């Protein structure tokens, strides 16, 4: 069966990107900066809006809105991953582990695929936004969302959508797929 991605200009999408073999690349703050730099570079070339983001140790969750005339998120993700990978120093690059990756000129930085989901409505948007911001607590990296530095949670607090203490005492209702991450 061939996997087909749904592409719609102007849509909003939720993405999950994972490092190769869950390597904790983003435990290093320099790599978080490299990621942000790669995103900014691609964003200048191919605009999109970062609605929400969380950078965890070995994976990222993103919520993006694309321009009305453009639905090509796949190229954006590919370019960001490429810029990030090229920015790494020799200490961050490991020998390629498989012949398939070697033949394709790939490094062992990212899982080949990523998960994407087109946002369908306001409820879907809110569920993904909550999931992104609660993820550091879910993975026991923070006691509350506000404690995790590599997240857009504080931006949404400033917009008035979240109370600064949201997610501290009670886990927000998360959908069944939230267990997969």
């Amino acid at each position: 069966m061939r996997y087909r991605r749904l592409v719609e200009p102007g849509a909003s999408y939720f993405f999950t990107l994972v490092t190769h073999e869950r390597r904790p690349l983003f435990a290093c703050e320099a790599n978080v900066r490299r990621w942000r730099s790669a995103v900014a570079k691609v964003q200048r070339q191919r605009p999109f809006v970062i609605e929400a983001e969380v950078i965890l140790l070995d994976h990222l969750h993103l919520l993006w809105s694309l321009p009305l005339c453009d639905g090509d998120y796949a190229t954006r993700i590919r370019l960001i991953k490429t810029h990030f990978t090229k920015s790494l120093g020799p200490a961050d690059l490991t020998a390629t582990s498989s012949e398939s990756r070697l033949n394709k000129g790939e490094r062992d930085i990212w899982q080949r695929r990523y998960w994407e989901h087109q946002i369908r409505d306001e409820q879907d948007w809110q569920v993904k936004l909550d999931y992104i911001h609660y993820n550091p607590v879910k993975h026991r990296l923070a006691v509350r969302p506000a404690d995790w530095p590599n997240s857009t949670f504080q931006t949404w607090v400033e917009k008035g959508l979240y109370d600064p203490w949201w997610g501290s005492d009670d886990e927000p209702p998360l959908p069944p797929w939230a267990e997969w991450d």
Side-chain angles (χ1 to χ4, degrees), residues 56-73:
L56 300 160
L57 304 180
D58 60 2
H59 68 286
L60 306 100
H61 295 293
L62 315 163
L63 182 58
W64 291 354
S65 293
L66 299 177
L68 292 175
C69 60
D70 186 353
D72 187 8
Y73 58 80

Side-chain angles (χ1 to χ4, degrees), residues 85-104:
T85 300
K86 287 182 176 181
S87 74
L88 293 172
D92 295 307
L93 299 173
T94 59
T96 301
S97 62
S98 74
E99 189 172 329
S100 173
R101 281 185 179 267
L102 190 61
N103 290 338
K104 293 179 181 182

Side-chain angles (χ1 to χ4, degrees), residues 41-58:
K41 185 173 187 172
V42 172
Q43 205 173 22
R44 286 189 299 273
Q45 299 165 349
R46 295 174 171 264
F48 61 95
V49 176
I50 301 168
E51 305 288 359
E53 173 183 75
V54 65
I55 303 169
L56 300 160
L57 304 180
D58 60 2

Side-chain angles (χ1 to χ4, degrees), residues 2-168:
R2 186 166 179 236
Y3 180 76
R4 296 173 192 236
R5 295 190 185 275
L6 181 62
V7 176
E8 183 178 328
S12 295
Y13 291 89
F14 170 83
F15 303 100
T16 300
L17 283 68
V18 181
T19 62
H20 181 71
E21 296 181 350
R22 292 258 179 190
R23 185 173 160 206
L25 271 177
F26 297 106
C28 171
E29 190 59 37
N31 287 341
V32 172
R33 288 191 301 274
R34 285 183 181 100
W35 168 260
R36 289 186 174 141
S37 176
V39 169
K41 185 173 187 172
V42 172
Q43 205 173 22
R44 286 189 299 273
Q45 299 165 349
R46 295 174 171 264
F48 61 95
V49 176
I50 301 168
E51 305 288 359
E53 173 183 75
V54 65
I55 303 169
L56 300 160
L57 304 180
D58 60 2
H59 68 286
L60 306 100
H61 295 293
L62 315 163
L63 182 58
W64 291 354
S65 293
L66 299 177
L68 292 175
C69 60
D70 186 353
D72 187 8
Y73 58 80
T75 298
R76 287 169 172 86
I77 289 176
R78 179 181 53 80
L79 290 171
I80 292 168
K81 285 173 143 184
T82 299
H83 289 308
F84 174 82
T85 300
K86 287 182 176 181
S87 74
L88 293 172
D92 295 307
L93 299 173
T94 59
T96 301
S97 62
S98 74
E99 189 172 329
S100 173
R101 281 185 179 267
L102 190 61
N103 290 338
K104 293 179 181 182
E106 295 176 0
R107 306 295 272 166
D108 288 345
I109 302 299
W110 298 102
Q111 282 187 3
R112 283 189 172 149
R113 302 208 185 270
Y114 55 89
W115 193 78
E116 105 285 333
H117 168 83
Q118 183 179 348
I119 302 299
R120 294 181 178 90
D121 54 31
E122 287 297 319
Q123 181 183 2
D124 193 19
W125 172 277
Q126 188 63 54
V127 167
K128 301 305 186 287
L129 197 65
D130 289 351
Y131 182 76
I132 286 170
H133 293 131
Y134 191 73
N135 218 252
V137 177
K138 177 181 177 256
H139 288 285
R140 294 180 170 83
L141 298 171
V143 174
R144 60 190 183 114
D147 296 336
W148 189 250
N150 299 317
S151 166
T152 54
F153 179 75
Q154 200 58 46
T155 301
W156 284 94
V157 168
E158 291 166 9
K159 289 180 180 182
L161 184 68
Y162 291 111
D163 178 279
W165 297 99
W166 177 86
S168 300

